[in-house]
């Protein structure tokens, strides 16, 4: 009986164990199914995200055609005519020229620019020669105007790399920083490249529009060349006249136009290869380049100047890069631009192999008659888009030069609320238009304009190669062998083209040199004057001991109001202030020294825009505010700027009231303490009010130690003191805000050399007279403006 009970008990236990095991297995299956469903859902989401990213990338690749590749895509309009301006003597020369075009497109745009140079784009936001210079300025102290502060390096956009002290990059950095002459030479190199791009902004519309309008004479031989020039001038005037509207409204048309253009020239190229001569495809063998030069003759060497035009537009490609990710630009070139251009040039070569006498109008002559006029319209539209891309690139580079103090102050208008990079510079626009019309009407043919165009582009390529060498060493930290290979290959190809362009200096190649020399003179003199003004302000700073000796009243009557004293100094009291208080009997109750500083970054986030600190003891009520901008940032209107300035000032006072103050004028712009500690001290009641602007100070913590607030002082009493001062400043603000600006006149000393006297007393003085005033740039109302004049000699 006991055995049966025991057996039953054991059976029950076994049954329960089996039931528990089945339940656990069931739970395990459910969990497994659930995890598989979750994994499948995650994979589906990843697939959708990747699919969406791929579609977005394809869309951006399509859009980049209109902005980036318009100039490069319209080169087939004029390449063969400029390669053989005196006609074709040997049909085999066509194969050699085509082979040169094929490998030029492969080596320079494809390998060098699309896959190497385009990666040096300042986090995808900046491009062009000044963007490369900004990258170098962040990784080495090569700026001629040394106004950088250690807090600038803590910006979220101030990306930089570090390297070992004994590395090749560190040695190169020390070599650059050792002498001022090397920094100056680097800046001049950047200015030369910028000036050549400005010249390109003049020559691209001229040659593109004139070549497109030249199609009128091909189908209507009775039309004179003067009519073609007149039509081109009308198109150019219309193009420059609508620049103030910006490209935001019509930009959506650019990509379809250029895409249709590439499809059309590729289709016509295939048609001509099939109909006329398929043997031109043997030009893909580089052997024909050797045979081309082996036949000798100066004409074959100088023809490189025309072949060079097949890669023009790469400078605009790099300058307009900031609108799109690098991968989108690479896809667009490798999938659409590169093959379509190869087919277009091969088709023209096949046509002129049969009709060598038509080389002067090879593009339009090779078009089938049934599609001639539609193709003429597409060509004209593509030429306009190409011109627009180059003009936009010129505007972008001028704005970057402004940020580096290398261009006279001109008006910059942002034409789009969506895209910060779309700008319009009225003064530069009209100068470009006048010079472009002068070049078009003056030369009246493509050959001389093509020679000028090629000279400008090859110099830009040489400048880019030299800057990229430094980028690869200092920024990318590439091995010196890779740097050497890139530099040698690039210089061999580009110097070969440059040597060919030297033979065409007297045939139009002098034009970009004259234009670049004029702009280089303007930019160099302006930068020199700006540098000397900054050095004067640095050397004539007022000592803190002198300020403290004046007492809280500064030896004057403190009247209600806030005085915003604008200065270029980020530290110290400017000389203009001592000049002001020694000539006037009163000063405002609150004085804020405002420094608007441009940094070598593409943008400064709004929450990191302002740095605020106190100058002297609290009862002096003197502060400093540094407003930092990147080269793509928009200077806000005065109302918004003033509002943000006071918000940062009020926050600083509240935070300072929680800590033990000091009366110094050190380089520390903020109060020590972590962001969380400051939030805790503010308390819950004020937390929401100040959370939005705490980031302003989080990135600029003081480096030197500051004593913490004593435990015997309560946070509430400190807060009340801060509130009292905030109310005092707010009352002074309500009494009136006056903007005090220095009107500094620069003069050359009598003993200086004559060229420096001409540069300062005449050129710089003239540029200062015609450029915009600081008050106009900052939108300061005239009724609140007070100018303080002073003269210094260099």
């Amino acid at each position: 009986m006991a055995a049966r009970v025991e057996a039953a008990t054991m059976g029950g236990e076994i049954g329960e164990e089996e039931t528990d095991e089945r339940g656990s297995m069931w739970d395990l299956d459910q969990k497994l199914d659930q995890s598989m469903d979750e994994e499948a859902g995650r994979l589906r989401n990843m697939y959708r995200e990747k699919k969406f990213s791929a579609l977005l990338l394809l869309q951006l690749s399509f859009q980049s055609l209109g902005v980036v590749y318009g100039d490069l895509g319209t080169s087939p309009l004029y390449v063969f005519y400029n390669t053989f301006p005196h006609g074709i003597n040997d049909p085999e020369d066509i194969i050699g020229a085509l082979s040169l075009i094929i490998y030029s497109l492969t080596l320079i745009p494809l390998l060098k620019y699309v896959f190497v140079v385009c990666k040096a784009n300042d986090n995808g936001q900046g491009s062009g020669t000044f963007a490369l210079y900004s990258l170098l300025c962040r990784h080495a102290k090569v700026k001629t105007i040394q106004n950088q502060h250690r807090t600038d390096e803590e910006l979220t956009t101030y990306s930089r790399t570090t390297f070992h002290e004994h590395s090749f990059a560190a040695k190169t950095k020390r070599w650059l920083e050792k002498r001022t002459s090397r920094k100056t030479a680097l800046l001049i190199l950047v200015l030369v490249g910028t000036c050549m791009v400005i010249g390109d902004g003049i020559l691209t519309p001229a040659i593109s529009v004139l070549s497109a309008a030249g199609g009128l004479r091909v189908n209507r031989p009775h039309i004179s060349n003067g009519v073609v020039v007149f039509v081109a001038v009308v198109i150019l005037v219309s193009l420059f006249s609508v620049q103030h509207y910006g490209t935001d409204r019509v930009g959506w048309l650019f990509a379809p136009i250029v895409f249709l253009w590439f499809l059309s020239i590729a289709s016509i190229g295939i048609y001509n290869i099939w109909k006329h001569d398929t043997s031109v495809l043997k030009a893909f063998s580089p052997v024909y380049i050797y045979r081309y030069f082996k036949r000798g003759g100066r004409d074959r060497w100088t023809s490189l100047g025309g072949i060079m035009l097949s890669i023009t537009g790469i400078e605009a490609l790099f300058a307009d890069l900031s609108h799109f990710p690098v991968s989108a630009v690479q896809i667009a070139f490798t999938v659409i631009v590169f093959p379509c251009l190869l087919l277009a040039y091969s088709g023209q070569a096949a046509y002129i192999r049969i009709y060598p006498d038509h080389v002067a109008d090879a593009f339009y002559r090779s078009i089938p008659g049934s599609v001639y006029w539609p193709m003429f319209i597409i060509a004209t539209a593509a030429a306009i888009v190409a011109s627009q891309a180059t003009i936009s690139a010129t505007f972008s580079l001028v704005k970057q030069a402004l940020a580096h103090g290398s261009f006279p102050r001109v008006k910059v208008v942002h034409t789009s609320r969506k895209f910060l990079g779309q700008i319009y510079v009225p003064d530069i626009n009209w100068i470009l238009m006048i010079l472009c019309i002068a070049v078009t009407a003056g030369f009246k043919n493509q050959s001389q304009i093509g020679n000028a165009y090629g000279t400008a582009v090859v110099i830009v390529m040489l400048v880019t190669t030299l800057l990229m060498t430094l980028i690869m060493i200092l920024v990318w930290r590439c091995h010196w062998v890779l740097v050497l290979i890139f530099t040698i290959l690039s210089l061999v190809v580009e110097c070969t083209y440059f040597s060919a362009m030297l033979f065409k200096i007297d045939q139009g190649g002098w034009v970009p040199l004259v234009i670049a020399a004029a702009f280089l003179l303007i930019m160099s003199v302006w930068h020199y004057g700006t540098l000397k003004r900054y050095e004067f302000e640095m050397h004539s700073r007022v000592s803190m001991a002198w300020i403290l000796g004046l007492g809280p009243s500064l030896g004057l009557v403190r009247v209600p109001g806030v005085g915003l004293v604008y200065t270029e100094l980020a530290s110290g009291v400017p000389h203009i202030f001592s000049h002001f208080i020694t000539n006037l009997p009163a000063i405002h109750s609150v004085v804020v020294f405002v420094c608007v500083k441009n940094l070598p970054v593409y943008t400064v986030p709004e929450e990191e825009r302002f740095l605020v600190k106190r100058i002297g003891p609290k009862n002096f009520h003197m502060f400093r505010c540094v407003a930092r901008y990147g080269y793509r940032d928009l200077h806000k209107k005065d109302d918004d700027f003033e509002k943000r300035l006071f918000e940062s000032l009020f926050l600083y006072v509240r935070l300072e009231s929680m800590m033990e103050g000091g009366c110094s004028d050190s380089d520390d712009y903020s109060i020590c303490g972590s962001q969380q500690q400051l939030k805790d001290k503010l308390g819950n009641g004020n937390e929401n009010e100040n959370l939005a602007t705490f980031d302003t100070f989080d990135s600029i913590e003081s480096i030197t130690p500051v004593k913490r607030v004593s435990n015997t002082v309560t946070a509430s009493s400190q807060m009340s003191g801060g509130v009292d001062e905030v109310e005092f400043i707010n009352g002074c603000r309500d009494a009136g805000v006056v903007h005090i600006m220095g009107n500094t006149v620069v003069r050359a000393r009598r003993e200086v050399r004559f060229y420096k006297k001409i540069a300062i007393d005449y050129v710089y003085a003239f540029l200062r007279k015609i450029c915009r005033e600081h008050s106009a740039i900052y939108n300061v109302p005239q009724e609140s403006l007070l100018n303080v004049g002073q003269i210094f000699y260099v």
Side-chain angles (χ1 to χ4, degrees):
M1 185 70 180
R4 284 196 298 268
V5 171
E6 183 178 357
T9 305
M10 292 178 62
E13 291 176 354
I14 293 172
E16 290 176 0
E17 289 178 359
E18 289 178 353
T19 304
D20 293 341
E21 184 177 355
R22 291 192 193 100
S24 62
M25 290 293 294
W26 177 259
D27 294 338
L28 183 63
D29 290 340
Q30 284 185 327
K31 291 179 180 178
L32 184 61
D33 292 339
Q34 184 178 0
S35 63
M36 291 179 65
D37 291 339
E38 291 177 354
E39 181 67 19
R42 189 177 65 84
L43 292 174
R44 282 195 299 269
N45 291 333
M46 288 177 60
Y47 174 76
R48 289 169 184 169
E49 290 176 0
K50 289 182 179 179
K51 186 177 180 181
F52 175 76
S53 300
L55 291 175
L56 180 61
L57 187 62
L58 291 176
Q59 181 182 356
L60 292 173
S61 301
F62 176 76
Q63 292 175 353
S64 69
L65 291 174
V67 177
V68 177
Y69 292 113
D71 190 6
L72 183 64
T74 53
S75 297
L77 286 169
Y78 43 77
V79 167
F80 275 109
Y81 169 60
N82 286 275
T83 303
F84 303 106
H86 306 297
I88 299 173
N89 298 322
D90 188 348
E92 287 300 311
D93 288 348
I94 300 173
I95 303 296
L98 177 60
S99 186
L100 280 168
I101 291 172
I102 291 171
Y103 285 98
S104 296
L105 284 169
T106 303
L107 292 175
I108 303 298
L110 180 64
L111 297 181
K112 178 187 174 182
Y113 273 85
V114 173
F115 287 102
V116 179
V117 177
C118 285
K119 293 182 179 180
N121 54 21
D122 203 356
N123 296 321
Q125 297 296 326
S127 49
T129 52
F130 264 106
L132 297 180
Y133 183 65
S134 297
L135 278 173
L136 292 175
C137 288
R138 296 209 297 268
H139 290 79
K141 296 178 180 179
V142 294
K143 283 191 69 176
T144 53
I145 301 178
Q146 297 294 333
N147 63 346
Q148 290 177 272
H149 192 271
R150 63 176 178 271
T151 55
D152 298 337
E153 300 177 5
E154 299 174 11
L155 285 170
T156 54
T157 54
Y158 202 99
S159 59
R160 56 181 299 183
T161 55
T162 57
F163 28 77
H164 193 269
E165 184 179 357
H166 301 290
S167 64
F168 183 65
K171 295 177 182 178
T172 306
K173 177 177 178 291
R174 288 193 294 268
W175 181 82
L176 279 174
E177 296 174 347
K178 189 174 182 181
R179 295 185 180 179
T180 306
S181 58
R182 293 167 186 167
K183 301 177 185 178
T184 305
L186 179 62
L187 177 63
I188 291 175
L189 181 68
V190 173
L191 294 181
V192 168
T194 303
C195 293
M196 285 299 172
V197 174
I198 294 175
D200 186 22
I202 297 167
L203 297 169
T204 298
I207 192 171
S208 299
V209 174
L210 186 62
S211 300
L216 291 171
R217 293 189 62 194
V218 176
N219 200 269
R220 296 290 186 269
H222 62 277
I223 296 178
S224 65
N225 189 56
V227 174
V228 174
V229 172
F230 176 77
V231 171
V233 169
V234 170
I235 294 174
L236 290 173
V237 171
S238 303
L239 174 64
F240 284 101
S241 298
V242 299
Q243 288 299 312
H244 65 281
Y245 292 110
T247 58
D248 193 24
R249 297 181 182 179
V250 295
W252 60 275
L253 281 173
F254 288 176
I257 290 173
V258 177
F259 181 69
L260 183 60
W261 163 258
F262 278 120
L263 288 184
S264 300
I265 61 175
S267 302
I268 294 172
I270 294 172
Y271 169 80
N272 286 318
I273 293 171
W274 171 75
K275 182 177 181 181
H276 297 294
D277 189 2
T278 57
S279 66
V280 295
L281 297 178
K282 63 185 179 182
F284 282 87
S285 171
V287 173
Y288 291 93
I289 297 177
Y290 169 75
R291 294 178 181 177
Y292 181 72
F293 289 115
K294 186 180 179 181
R295 286 191 288 272
R298 176 179 170 179
D299 289 342
R300 289 183 177 84
W301 187 260
T302 57
S303 68
L304 286 174
I307 292 169
M308 231 283 299
L309 296 179
S310 64
I311 56 176
T312 54
I314 51 176
E315 68 289 342
L317 178 155
F318 186 43
D320 288 324
L321 182 65
S322 58
H323 299 289
F324 303 96
V326 175
S327 55
V329 174
Q330 292 172 340
I331 291 173
F333 187 84
T334 53
V335 175
I336 299 176
V337 179
F338 187 61
C340 289
L341 286 177
L342 294 183
L343 289 172
Y345 287 119
S346 300
Q348 288 187 42
Y351 178 82
I352 58 179
R353 285 263 291 180
I354 306 300
Y355 305 101
D357 295 338
H358 293 173
V359 68
D361 302 302
F363 175 78
Y364 280 112
R365 295 281 187 180
S366 63
I367 298 175
S370 58
V371 294
Y372 183 85
W373 288 113
M375 197 62 204
F376 172 79
I377 295 173
I378 296 173
T380 304
I384 293 173
V385 173
S387 304
Q388 178 62 56
T390 311
I391 295 169
S392 299
T394 305
F395 291 161
S396 177
L397 282 179
V398 168
K399 188 177 185 299
Q400 293 180 35
L402 277 170
H404 285 274
S406 300
F407 203 88
R409 295 185 298 270
V410 292
K411 184 178 182 180
V412 178
V413 180
H414 288 255
T415 58
S416 173
R417 295 182 179 179
K418 298 178 182 178
F419 305 103
L420 196 59
Q422 293 185 6
I423 59 174
Y424 166 63
V425 186
D427 299 330
I428 299 300
N429 180 68
W430 302 124
I431 291 174
L432 292 180
M433 187 189 76
I434 293 171
L435 293 177
C436 186
I437 292 173
V439 168
T440 305
F443 287 127
K444 298 181 181 179
N445 66 80
Q446 302 173 24
S447 179
Q448 290 182 320
I449 300 178
N451 295 336
Y453 190 19
T455 304
V457 173
V458 73
I459 293 176
V460 174
M461 290 195 305
L462 286 170
V463 170
T464 303
T465 298
L466 297 177
L467 292 177
M468 279 301 302
T469 301
L470 294 176
I471 292 291
M472 294 177 73
I473 296 173
L474 297 177
V475 182
W476 295 349
R477 293 181 293 172
C478 297
H479 195 277
W480 66 269
V481 175
L482 293 177
V483 178
L484 193 64
I485 292 173
F486 171 82
T487 305
I488 290 177
L489 288 178
S490 299
L491 288 179
V492 166
V493 176
E494 291 160 7
C495 288
T496 302
Y497 282 122
F498 182 71
S499 65
M501 297 307 304
L502 292 177
F503 290 100
K504 299 191 175 185
I505 296 295
D506 60 337
Q507 303 172 28
W510 57 271
V511 173
L513 300 180
V514 172
I515 294 172
F519 277 98
L520 182 62
L521 175 65
I522 292 171
M523 297 172 74
S524 301
V525 170
W526 183 264
H527 185 81
Y528 177 77
T530 304
L531 174 62
K532 291 302 177 183
R533 284 182 59 202
Y534 181 77
E535 290 178 350
F536 168 77
E537 290 203 18
M538 283 293 294
H539 295 319
S540 59
R541 288 184 298 179
V542 179
S543 66
M544 196 62 207
W546 184 77
I547 294 292
L548 294 174
L550 295 176
S553 66
L554 300 177
L556 303 170
V557 177
R558 302 295 292 267
V559 297
V562 179
L564 301 181
V565 183
Y566 288 82
T567 175
E568 295 182 7
L569 297 179
S571 62
V573 178
H575 181 264
I576 181 181
F577 183 68
S578 64
H579 186 67
F580 177 79
I581 64 177
T582 53
N583 287 275
L584 290 176
I587 190 67
H588 301 88
S589 298
V590 177
V591 176
V592 182
F593 296 99
V594 181
C595 173
V596 179
K597 185 167 67 170
N598 291 284
L599 301 181
V601 295
Y602 61 90
T603 186
V604 176
E606 285 291 336
E607 63 272 12
E608 302 177 47
R609 176 83 65 209
F610 293 94
L611 301 179
V612 180
K613 62 166 289 186
R614 184 185 295 277
I615 298 178
K618 287 188 177 182
N619 55 355
F620 276 54
H621 300 299
M622 295 174 61
F623 302 89
R624 178 187 317 286
C625 177
V626 180
R628 303 178 295 181
Y629 290 88
Y631 55 78
R632 292 190 67 198
D633 282 334
L634 168 66
H635 287 261
K636 299 294 184 182
K637 295 292 184 182
D638 180 67
D639 293 339
D640 186 55
F641 177 84
E642 188 177 303
K643 178 184 176 183
R644 291 295 307 278
L645 188 151
F646 277 104
E647 285 177 354
S648 301
L649 180 60
F650 294 155
L651 178 59
Y652 176 84
V653 172
R654 292 191 184 102
L655 298 180
E656 186 194 39
S657 67
M658 293 177 239
M659 299 197 173
E660 198 170 54
C663 53
S664 66
D665 191 27
S666 67
D667 290 336
D668 301 324
Y669 276 92
S670 66
I671 315 164
C672 257
S674 68
Q675 182 173 338
Q676 188 58 44
Q677 287 174 328
L678 293 174
K679 289 180 185 177
D680 294 340
K681 288 185 178 182
L682 277 175
N684 296 330
N686 297 319
E687 183 175 358
N688 295 331
E689 178 185 354
N690 297 296
L691 276 178
T693 53
F694 256 108
D695 291 339
T696 305
F697 300 92
D698 182 44
S699 63
I700 52 172
E701 282 190 355
S702 172
I703 298 175
T704 58
V706 179
K707 294 181 180 179
R708 296 292 176 187
V709 181
S710 173
N711 293 330
T712 59
V713 182
T714 62
S716 61
S717 64
Q718 296 164 7
M719 194 64 192
S720 63
V723 171
D724 291 341
E725 189 172 10
V726 168
E727 291 178 353
F728 173 75
I729 297 173
N730 212 12
C732 293
R733 179 187 181 186
D734 294 337
V737 179
V738 176
H739 301 260
I740 304 170
M741 292 188 171
N743 188 10
T744 306
V745 179
V746 185
R747 294 274 188 258
R749 294 192 182 96
R750 293 184 178 181
E751 63 271 15
V752 300
R753 296 181 179 180
F754 75 95
Y755 60 86
K756 186 177 290 187
K757 194 174 185 65
I758 293 174
I760 294 297
D761 289 348
Y762 296 97
V763 180
Y764 184 73
F766 175 74
L767 292 175
R768 288 251 325 178
K769 186 176 181 180
I770 64 174
C771 74
R772 302 186 80 207
E773 297 290 340
H774 279 297
S775 58
I777 294 176
Y778 304 140
N779 298 284
V780 175
Q782 292 297 315
E783 61 272 12
S784 303
L785 176 63
L786 179 61
N787 277 314
V788 180
Q790 57 180 347
I791 300 176
F792 77 92
Y793 295 88
V794 296

